[in-house]
Amino acid sequence: MSSNQIALKNLVSMEHLTNEEVMALIKRGIEFKNGAKVHYDEQHIVANLFFESSTRTHKAFEVAELKLGCDLLDFDVKTSSVNKGETLYDTILTMSALGVDVCVIRHPEVDYYKELVESPTITTSIVNGGDGSGQHPSQSLLDLMTIYQEFGHFDGLKVAIAGDLDHSRVAKSNMQILKRLGAELFFAGPDEWRSAEFADYGKFVTIDEVIDQVDVMMFLRVQHERHDYNSIFSKENYHKLHGLTQERYDCMKDTAILMHPAPVNRDVEIADHLVEAPKSRIVEQMTNGVFVRMAIIEAVLKGRN
């Protein structure tokens, strides 16, 4: 058995993981990427319940579960009793009663998982696939895996997170754990999209102040669906002021990497032709997402035993 195999009852927030658990999940993800296999003698049933649209997270969890040999229970919000007014609690209570081992959930309500993991009746394990503008632990772990593969450490790395900070669960998950692991953080983007909580974790800057200094340049998607625009949003203006242009890309250190949780609004956060540029690790992030999610599901299944 790998020394990086750990047991977790649920995985809902990066705040609930110790540094040792984070590193074990990253290293186990790398082992899976390098060809590690697991074999379960018993049947494991997993349900993916996505109440918000998703391609990468949803399908990466599915691929991870299939690679682990899990049985996937189909769940479609559009044809479920949610349309009859069934609450999330009662939906998961049903999944638990049916014998589902793990429920991977994305939901628009921040902290939706609290009443689920505190319930004495619900026995299925909960993996948070994203809660509103709250947390996104699996995305954070795949980001960490990508950074760790590149540099072999976190301590002392300079990381800039730029864009729609307030609405980004990626930014909030990453800033907490990266600071804990010793990285130096910078935040950039429109003033109206960054709240005071970020000041506890790093320094507010403009992209141009740090683009030539950072090891990791992480851009965030402009989350149009979470905005109530009072004025017309100008893609061109945003890109010019806050996005990665060719000029800014050329200023990045040769060893620096470009990241984005995707989907990328091309020519908004990042110039279209730079999405797959040599310094970009965006495709690698998606690949790593499968393997770190294998580590997550394995850890939660182990925690059930």
Side-chain angles (χ1 to χ4, degrees), residues 243-297:
L244 187 68
T245 61
Q246 182 66 55
E247 291 74 23
R248 289 184 177 123
Y249 178 87
D250 291 340
C251 288
M252 290 174 65
K253 296 194 297 186
D254 290 341
T255 55
I257 61 172
L258 162 64
M259 299 177 68
H260 191 295
V264 180
N265 292 308
R266 290 172 181 259
D267 290 325
V268 181
E269 301 104 29
I270 299 173
D272 178 40
H273 68 283
L274 295 177
V275 172
E276 298 174 67
K279 295 173 189 174
S280 173
R281 297 295 180 270
I282 297 171
V283 175
E284 191 75 6
Q285 285 174 265
M286 290 187 273
T287 299
N288 288 344
V290 171
F291 299 109
V292 86
R293 288 178 174 110
M294 289 176 71
I296 291 170
I297 297 297

Side-chain angles (χ1 to χ4, degrees), residues 1 28 36 42 46 64 84 134 143 166 215 230 246 262 264 281:
M1 186 177 74
R28 187 58 174 157
E42 67 272 38
V46 181
K84 299 178 181 178
D143 289 345
D166 260 356
D215 301 294
N230 294 318
Q246 182 66 55
V264 180
R281 297 295 180 270

Side-chain angles (χ1 to χ4, degrees), residues 195-208:
S195 54
E197 66 177 308
F198 290 94
D200 295 332
Y201 294 89
K203 181 181 178 182
F204 289 129
V205 295
T206 65
I207 290 178
D208 294 319

Side-chain angles (χ1 to χ4, degrees), residues 109-295:
E109 182 183 339
V110 175
D111 295 341
Y112 72 80
Y113 48 79
K114 285 190 174 180
E115 68 170 345
L116 305 180
V117 299
E118 291 169 0
S119 168
T121 312
I122 291 174
T123 58
T124 188
S125 295
I126 305 300
V127 174
N128 181 13
D131 58 305
S133 57
Q135 288 268 340
H136 198 347
S138 67
Q139 177 69 46
S140 182
L141 285 164
L142 74 88
D143 289 345
L144 294 174
M145 177 177 164
T146 305
I147 294 169
Y148 187 77
Q149 272 196 299
E150 193 75 29
F151 299 101
H153 66 96
F154 298 99
D155 193 41
L157 288 180
K158 293 184 176 183
V159 181
I161 304 176
D164 194 352
L165 293 163
D166 260 356
H167 299 91
S168 175
R169 48 196 170 212
V170 175
K172 290 164 187 172
S173 294
N174 280 347
M175 72 180 183
Q176 293 168 355
I177 188 60
L178 281 168
K179 183 174 176 64
R180 258 205 281 153
L181 292 171
E184 183 180 359
L185 297 177
F186 303 92
F187 301 105
D191 291 344
E192 61 270 29
W193 291 352
R194 57 192 199 192
S195 54
E197 66 177 308
F198 290 94
D200 295 332
Y201 294 89
K203 181 181 178 182
F204 289 129
V205 295
T206 65
I207 290 178
D208 294 319
E209 286 180 88
V210 295
I211 191 72
D212 61 343
Q213 302 171 38
V214 296
D215 301 294
V216 179
M217 191 68 235
M218 185 182 297
F219 286 87
L220 304 170
R221 182 175 69 88
V222 176
Q223 300 195 30
H224 299 289
E225 71 275 15
R226 301 192 196 280
H227 287 284
D228 180 17
Y229 292 113
N230 294 318
S231 59
I232 297 173
F233 178 82
S234 167
K235 293 180 178 180
E236 294 77 16
N237 192 51
Y238 183 91
H239 184 64
K240 180 180 177 182
L241 294 175
H242 307 292
L244 187 68
T245 61
Q246 182 66 55
E247 291 74 23
R248 289 184 177 123
Y249 178 87
D250 291 340
C251 288
M252 290 174 65
K253 296 194 297 186
D254 290 341
T255 55
I257 61 172
L258 162 64
M259 299 177 68
H260 191 295
V264 180
N265 292 308
R266 290 172 181 259
D267 290 325
V268 181
E269 301 104 29
I270 299 173
D272 178 40
H273 68 283
L274 295 177
V275 172
E276 298 174 67
K279 295 173 189 174
S280 173
R281 297 295 180 270
I282 297 171
V283 175
E284 191 75 6
Q285 285 174 265
M286 290 187 273
T287 299
N288 288 344
V290 171
F291 299 109
V292 86
R293 288 178 174 110
M294 289 176 71

